[in-house]
Amino acid sequence: MQQAKLPVTINPFGILFNPATIASTLDRLRCSTPFSEQDLIIHNGLWISLAHHGRFSSTDRSETLADINQALVQGTQALEQADYLILTLGTAWIYRYKATGEVVANCHKLPASAFERRRLTPDEIVNALEGALRPHLNNKQVFLTVSPVRHAGDGLVENQLSKSSLIVAAGELCERHPEFIHYFPAYEIVMDELRDYRFYQADMMHPSEVAIQYIWERFAESALTPACRTLISQIEALQNAMSHRPINPHSDAHRQFRSRMKAEAEHLQHIQPELDFSAEITYFTD
């Protein structure tokens, strides 16, 4: 969606995996209470937040805190303005930090002995997400999906129990609130439609680029208007043209090609002024 120039804000706390952390993040975005230095701990020379993904970690505590709070402000604003909220549930397993009792977003390679691990029940997942979503409704539509990425570190049986709990909880939420909560079957598409290891990366856990493209196309068909899909096709054509490597960049044919692409980018900028095509226009300008 970001590549297609749709106005999206992606994971302001970084990648989150379990529903309890997703719910607490939504609560934090609602109240927008800033994080303080006391919310950070140092491990292996890095200042980290157990409520955030590792991409926020750094050797400078002030820098880490500033990045976290800037993302909090941006995420709060984005959530207030958004018409749609997409939540991808990755695992029902949670890790509770013994020192504080909080469910962490990421263990940051701290010792396993620092955590208590258990699997959330479907009812716990429903209650956590339902409680977090209610204050954010304001006519928003919510898409729930379950990640098709296997968490092999939990064990294959434990992973399947986890995914099953997430699917049951998502189904319950959709049945309770069909007017604003919807389910997109990313997990089922990979497991049932793309049942071949050629649709996985070399680790046999993550979907391949072909699978990702297929899921994106299915999502676009189910969630985006025909006009939006047409626009995205035009944007993708421009982006493909930018990646094209000509045999002779100085030929008349290539100059004409660049002129056509520049005209197309300028046309899209004119009819879609809220989008930014400056990179495309600059690229195709001689």
Side-chain angles (χ1 to χ4, degrees):
M1 284 186 284
Q2 191 174 59
Q3 290 175 355
K5 298 186 184 295
L6 297 182
V8 295
T9 298
I10 304 173
N11 300 337
F13 280 36
I15 299 172
L16 306 177
F17 299 96
N18 73 79
T21 298
I22 292 172
S24 63
T25 297
L26 288 171
D27 288 337
R28 189 75 178 229
L29 290 172
R30 185 181 73 252
C31 64
S32 198
T33 304
F35 288 86
S36 68
E37 291 185 351
Q38 286 66 44
D39 295 310
L40 305 181
I41 61 175
I42 192 165
H43 178 63
N44 287 338
L46 293 175
W47 287 98
I48 62 175
S49 164
L50 294 175
H52 292 76
H53 186 262
R55 71 177 177 85
F56 287 95
S57 303
S58 78
T59 56
D60 187 292
R61 180 166 60 178
S62 297
E63 178 184 323
T64 300
L65 189 61
D67 289 346
I68 284 172
N69 283 325
Q70 182 181 13
L72 174 66
V73 171
Q74 293 172 344
T76 296
Q77 293 173 345
L79 187 59
E80 288 175 350
Q81 298 168 5
D83 296 315
Y84 302 92
L85 176 63
I86 302 174
L87 302 180
T88 300
L89 310 179
T91 180
W93 290 99
I94 61 170
Y95 291 81
R96 192 179 299 278
Y97 188 48
K98 292 178 181 179
T100 62
E102 67 177 308
V103 175
V104 303
N106 195 294
C107 293
H108 296 282
K109 298 184 178 180
L110 287 165
S113 59
F115 302 95
E116 293 178 349
R117 174 179 177 268
R118 75 176 185 88
R119 190 179 72 248
L120 295 173
T121 67
D123 284 345
E124 288 175 320
I125 296 168
V126 169
N127 292 336
L129 291 177
E130 193 173 47
L133 287 171
R134 285 185 182 278
H136 288 297
L137 298 187
N138 298 327
N139 299 318
K140 299 185 197 306
Q141 295 294 303
V142 179
F143 286 92
L144 292 179
T145 189
V146 173
S147 169
V149 177
R150 291 183 178 92
H151 288 245
D154 292 327
L156 294 181
V157 173
E158 289 80 1
N159 170 74
Q160 200 64 21
L161 287 169
S162 167
K163 299 292 187 183
S164 299
S165 297
L166 298 175
I167 293 168
V168 169
E172 178 68 20
L173 285 164
C174 290
E175 289 176 4
R176 289 190 187 185
H177 306 285
E179 70 282 4
F180 72 90
I181 298 182
H182 317 280
Y183 184 70
F184 175 70
Y187 179 85
E188 291 79 2
I189 288 171
V190 173
M191 295 297 118
D192 297 326
E193 293 188 35
L194 307 180
R195 292 181 297 176
D196 192 302
Y197 276 110
R198 64 193 171 97
F199 294 112
Y200 288 86
Q201 295 181 23
D203 64 3
M204 298 301 177
M205 299 296 166
H206 291 79
S208 68
E209 288 299 321
V210 174
I212 291 169
Q213 181 64 26
Y214 184 81
I215 294 169
W216 161 239
E217 290 171 358
R218 289 289 304 275
F219 179 80
E221 289 171 1
S222 65
L224 305 181
T225 65
C228 185
R229 295 202 299 272
T230 297
L231 174 63
I232 288 172
S233 295
Q234 293 171 311
I235 292 171
E236 289 176 343
L238 273 177
Q239 292 172 342
N240 289 336
M242 291 174 70
S243 63
H244 174 69
R245 293 294 176 263
I247 297 175
N248 181 2
H250 304 294
S251 68
D252 289 339
H254 184 63
R255 281 194 291 269
Q256 292 171 5
F257 170 76
R258 290 174 63 86
S259 179
R260 288 197 307 273
M261 290 299 100
K262 180 183 178 183
E264 176 66 12
E266 290 173 337
H267 172 68
L268 290 176
Q269 185 67 86
H270 177 71
I271 64 174
Q272 299 290 339
E274 71 280 6
L275 303 183
D276 182 9
F277 289 90
S278 59
E280 289 81 0
I281 293 171
T282 300
Y283 182 85
F284 290 113
T285 299
D286 291 329

